[in-house]
Amino acid sequence: MKKKGFTLVELLAVIAILAILVIMALPAVLNMFTQARIDTFQNEVRTIYRTAQQQYLLNGGAETIRGTGSGCTRLDMTGNASLQYYIKIDGNGKVKKLQATNGTYHYTTGTNEIEDISIDGIVVNKNQTAVTPSACN
């Protein structure tokens, strides 16, 4: 009489092979999720940049915009509620300084108030400590 099924050794071999495949794939999957979070933050920063310029031009707007606190203009946009930002715009509507953080990642540019900034190739840094965008002046 023939018995149908797998032996214990065969089942253990299959489980071991699957475990090795999971161990090999896990770092790639985690990197994919981390990169997706960074890409999302980069897109939020680009949206803030463009929205600030548009709002300035449409409203003849404020030269200082801050996403938190009082005494500054807040951008009229939806999105990540935990995102904090600070934008300094010159009289011509050019962004001179931009700081943004979501608590995990941050972006700061425009340390030289003379040059116009562009966010085409932004580099996001992981926060070592809590970064709070500048206060309104």
Side-chain angles (χ1 to χ4, degrees):
M1 178 188 231
K2 272 188 164 179
K3 291 187 177 182
K4 295 181 181 179
F6 298 104
T7 65
L8 181 60
V9 173
E10 291 171 332
L11 290 174
L12 289 174
V14 169
I15 291 172
I17 291 170
L18 289 175
I20 291 169
L21 290 175
V22 167
I23 289 170
M24 289 171 53
L26 192 60
V29 171
L30 293 177
N31 287 338
M32 180 182 65
F33 283 118
T34 301
Q35 189 59 46
R37 287 186 194 104
I38 291 171
D39 291 344
T40 300
F41 181 70
Q42 287 175 329
N43 287 333
E44 289 172 341
V45 171
R46 286 185 183 99
T47 301
I48 289 169
Y49 179 87
R50 290 185 189 108
T51 304
Q53 284 187 322
Q54 289 172 354
Q55 183 170 319
Y56 179 86
L57 294 173
L58 289 175
N59 299 334
E63 293 182 4
T64 302
I65 300 171
R66 185 167 183 205
T68 56
S70 60
C72 301
T73 304
R74 182 165 174 80
L75 293 176
D76 184 22
M77 56 187 260
T78 60
N80 187 348
S82 67
L83 192 65
Q84 297 179 353
Y85 52 87
Y86 171 83
I87 304 165
K88 185 74 174 174
I89 302 175
D90 71 4
N92 298 323
K94 301 286 185 183
V95 175
K96 295 296 183 182
K97 184 173 186 177
L98 172 59
Q99 295 176 323
T101 183
N102 66 0
T104 304
Y105 301 106
H106 73 275
Y107 173 72
T108 302
T109 192
T111 54
N112 184 351
E113 296 270 336
I114 298 171
E115 297 177 14
D116 293 339
I117 64 167
S118 169
I119 57 163
D120 293 332
I122 69 172
V123 176
V124 173
N125 299 308
K126 189 159 174 79
N127 284 345
Q128 301 298 324
T129 58
V131 173
T132 305
S134 301
C136 292
N137 301 0

